[in-house]
Amino acid sequence: MKHLIILGDGMADHPVKQLGGKTLLQYAHTPYMDKLARMGKTGCLSTIPKGFHPGSEVANTAILGYDLNAVYEGRGPLEAASIGYDMRPDDMAMRCNLISLQNGRILNHHGGHLQTEESDLLIKSLNEALGTECVRFITGIQYRHLLVIRGGSKRLMCAPPHDHPNEAWKPLLVKPEKGWEDIVEEGRMTARETAELINRLTLQSQELLSQHPFNKARAVQGKPLANSIWAWSGGYRPSMKTLMQLFPNIKTGAVISAVDLIRGIGRYAGLRNIIVPGATGLADTNYEGKVRAALEALKTDDFVYLHIEASDEAGHDGDLALKLRTIEDLDRCIVGPMYEAVKDEKEKVCIAVLPDHPTPVEMRIHVDEPVPFLIWYEGIEPDSVETYNEESCKKGEYGLLHLEQFMQTFMKYE
């Protein structure tokens, strides 16, 4: 049996008064997810270990069956792997957003939904002006980039920008982790020195970016300015076993995502990255191309991780109508076609559908709450759940699973 995970990033939500007290999954028209829930088994999953921030890097790594306490090193190293930057032992890599500041506050975490070609101009200019032997800016995808500090300390307290919309940015600057301020790790700066360097780079970036021709043109057009870097979630080179080592029934696997973070997790997990032209991580992503890529991968691979980012971005933007549309698009453009294509295959395909965490549209941030999931394959004995949403899945046969238990349960179906 082959295995396919369809991950709707940030898809889970809270009840919304405007929707009659329903969650978006309850309100949205999702006939295929409901069908698979009705024909399969359901439950809820806690994806965030105690003491961890509810980030996608944490949740997706846990969903894939990893013990975060053993392997977690932050987003930076995962995105370095995706970009193809081979970290040195003394590197500290951080996720580096291009963001929009306005009136002393964080307007958005994405610089106005930059295209990669646009942000590449800004990142290259920053690296030319601010790069040194120990500081390097590397272009990633869209607004998501990489800051590498050779000899930097990861013992930092950082504020993910998507968790602080409309908040004053100065109080959110990087701080040394308590207890680590002046401790020296061999070959590295102290945490205090690293935080001071990052904050200095942030202020310098604001001066440079405000004068960049790209932002001057954006100002004339009335568009948000990509006028600051924001570095967060740093770490050293991680050490992870591959999924093939964790689960012997996986011989080969693939990951399909528009997001560097997910591609990086996949690379460390031993999965091959499939790049789909037109996959944007937003509501305009190439759904059809992702389906074709997943079906092609299932011809040769035992395991496919199909990640769709659109609902998370809509949640961060607080756009109720758009998030509803992304959920319905996931059902219509991904879940439906994948089910119809594999349901009659000679070799069975076990399908799981779930989010990694909720991104409530009225809060615009990630929250640490269990998410609903379903598992279906031809012949599975269904439970009593009729629809797929946060409330109905609480009554599912799996009950509440925690962290690695999901993958352990999913891979038992052989």
Side-chain angles (χ1 to χ4, degrees):
M1 184 180 294
K2 300 196 172 190
H3 292 79
L4 167 69
I5 293 178
I6 300 174
L7 196 292
D9 201 301
M11 182 168 58
D13 214 296
H14 290 168
V16 177
K17 185 176 180 180
Q18 190 175 337
L19 302 180
K22 294 182 178 181
T23 70
L24 282 76
L25 279 171
Q26 289 176 312
Y27 187 88
H29 180 61
T30 55
Y32 276 103
M33 285 188 271
D34 290 342
K35 181 175 185 175
L36 291 184
R38 186 168 58 251
M39 298 192 305
K41 294 183 188 293
T42 62
C44 291
L45 173 65
S46 176
T47 63
I48 309 298
K50 185 177 180 180
F52 283 79
H53 181 82
S56 292
E57 76 282 11
V58 172
N60 282 273
T61 304
I63 288 169
L64 282 169
Y66 289 94
D67 177 358
L68 272 294
N69 289 292
V71 305
Y72 182 72
E73 283 289 346
R75 286 198 183 204
L78 296 173
E79 302 199 22
S82 172
I83 292 170
Y85 177 77
D86 189 15
M87 290 182 66
R88 290 181 15 160
D90 60 343
D91 280 345
M92 192 273 288
M94 304 184 75
R95 164 74 167 271
C96 185
N97 286 39
L98 285 171
I99 70 171
S100 298
L101 302 179
Q102 189 175 78
N103 299 324
R105 296 181 177 274
I106 296 177
L107 178 65
N108 63 57
H109 66 283
H110 49 62
H113 288 303
L114 297 170
Q115 298 299 311
T116 302
E117 298 77 14
E118 296 172 329
S119 58
D120 183 49
L121 296 172
L122 303 180
I123 292 296
K124 284 179 176 176
S125 68
L126 289 171
N127 193 60
E128 183 178 344
L130 303 178
T132 65
E133 288 186 3
C134 72
V135 172
R136 185 176 176 188
F137 294 90
I138 302 172
T139 302
I141 293 178
Q142 296 171 335
Y143 62 87
R144 312 172 185 94
H145 307 287
L146 194 68
L147 170 61
V148 178
I149 300 176
R150 188 147 293 167
S153 170
K154 69 176 182 179
R155 313 295 179 177
L156 304 170
M157 294 189 296
C158 303
H162 55 263
D163 282 348
H164 299 276
N166 298 319
E167 293 186 29
W169 63 268
K170 285 186 179 179
L172 300 173
L173 287 169
V174 177
K175 300 174 182 62
E177 190 176 312
K178 292 181 180 179
W180 282 90
E181 292 91 340
D182 300 306
I183 293 178
V184 178
E185 296 179 85
E186 184 177 355
R188 296 188 180 274
M189 311 172 197
T190 66
R192 190 187 306 278
E193 291 168 336
T194 306
E196 289 173 352
L197 171 60
I198 295 165
N199 292 336
R200 187 163 62 249
L201 291 169
T202 300
L203 296 176
Q204 291 173 326
S205 79
Q206 293 171 15
E207 295 179 12
L208 291 165
L209 291 173
S210 67
Q211 299 302 314
H212 197 283
F214 173 80
N215 277 316
K216 289 185 175 182
R218 297 268 286 197
V220 171
Q221 296 166 357
K223 294 181 178 179
L225 308 184
N227 55 6
S228 182
I229 63 166
W230 199 266
W232 56 287
S233 197
Y236 309 148
R237 183 182 179 119
S239 177
M240 292 170 58
K241 290 184 177 180
T242 65
L243 285 181
M244 298 75 185
Q245 292 171 311
L246 294 178
F247 302 99
N249 50 333
I250 299 178
K251 307 302 181 187
T252 62
V255 61
I256 301 168
S257 177
V259 178
D260 276 347
L261 161 66
I262 305 302
R263 294 176 182 175
I265 294 172
R267 181 175 177 185
Y268 280 115
L271 306 177
R272 64 189 181 94
N273 272 293
I274 299 176
I275 309 301
V276 176
T280 65
L282 300 172
D284 64 353
T285 196
N286 183 1
Y287 291 104
E288 293 78 11
K290 285 194 167 187
V291 168
R292 287 194 298 270
L295 291 174
E296 192 65 26
L298 284 170
K299 293 179 182 179
T300 56
D301 292 304
D302 306 301
F303 177 85
V304 175
Y305 197 72
L306 178 54
H307 173 268
I308 311 295
E309 174 77 2
S311 292
D312 187 61
E313 292 293 336
H316 284 309
D317 283 344
D319 192 328
L320 175 62
L322 180 60
K323 187 170 180 183
L324 277 171
R325 178 161 70 85
T326 64
I327 291 171
E328 293 180 346
D329 285 349
L330 180 76
D331 187 83
R332 177 175 56 87
C333 300
I334 296 288
V335 179
M338 290 303 303
Y339 164 73
E340 294 291 350
V342 306
K343 65 179 182 178
D344 298 321
E345 286 293 313
K346 184 175 181 181
E347 183 172 9
K348 294 180 180 179
V349 178
C350 186
I351 297 177
V353 179
L354 75 164
D356 51 351
H357 51 68
T359 307
V361 72
E362 293 184 331
M363 297 177 68
R364 298 179 59 186
I365 62 173
H366 298 173
V367 296
D368 178 4
E369 296 171 1
V371 297
F373 72 89
L374 67 85
I375 295 177
W376 170 86
Y377 64 86
E378 187 63 44
I380 192 173
E381 185 176 344
D383 59 21
S384 61
V385 173
E386 295 285 322
T387 56
Y388 175 73
N389 59 66
E390 298 87 349
E391 289 301 313
S392 63
C393 289
K394 291 177 181 177
K395 303 172 185 176
E397 186 172 314
Y398 294 117
L400 177 62
L401 300 184
H402 296 274
L403 306 170
E404 308 101 289
Q405 291 178 334
F406 168 77
M407 191 69 168
Q408 293 164 359
T409 300
F410 184 53
M411 294 310 302
K412 283 180 180 177
Y413 298 111
E414 299 187 51

